[in-house]
Amino acid sequence: HVQLVESGGGSVQAGGSLRLSCAASGYTYCNAWFRQAPGKERERVAARDHDAETHYADSVQGRFTIPRHFASDTIYLQMNSLKAEDTALYVCAASNKDYCPSEAKGYDYWGQGTQVTVS
């Protein structure tokens, strides 16, 4: 079982930046960030697999990146040029599959989430 612990959320003005961190207790092939806003479905924002292939939602392409620090098993979400519509609970997820699933049901482990509010 892999535990995921997020940190780094908070409030920021539109146009600003935040970096979220997800500390993992073990290795998984794929790591991802999802977000869920009130009244909306959980959306995969970014994902990164073992071979460093990354995937981004169209809504964040060019603004968000998902770097990984292997030595500490930490996955980051660097968010730049934030918009009000980025406001959501951001949740770290991990999958043991040999690819990065696009849907939440494909992920085996989940963190508790960290709130991001953009005003």
Side-chain angles (χ1 to χ4, degrees), residues 63-76:
R63 299 189 297 124
F64 291 12
T65 58
I66 183 169
R68 179 174 182 169
H69 188 250
F70 281 92
S72 62
D73 270 336
T74 302
I75 303 92
Y76 301 96

Side-chain angles (χ1 to χ4, degrees), residues 8-66:
S11 297
V12 65
Q13 290 189 337
S17 298
L18 277 177
R19 188 178 77 164
L20 308 182
S21 299
C22 174
S25 65
Y27 167 83
T28 52
Y29 182 84
C30 174
N31 296 95
W33 286 94
F34 283 75
R35 68 183 179 187
Q36 188 160 20
K40 294 188 177 181
E41 290 188 359
R42 186 166 288 195
E43 170 192 28
R44 193 186 73 175
V45 173
R48 182 186 182 97
D49 68 21
H50 173 79
D51 298 316
E53 182 173 351
T54 55
H55 310 269
Y56 296 100
D58 289 343
S59 58
V60 306
Q61 182 75 44
R63 299 189 297 124
F64 291 12
T65 58
I66 183 169

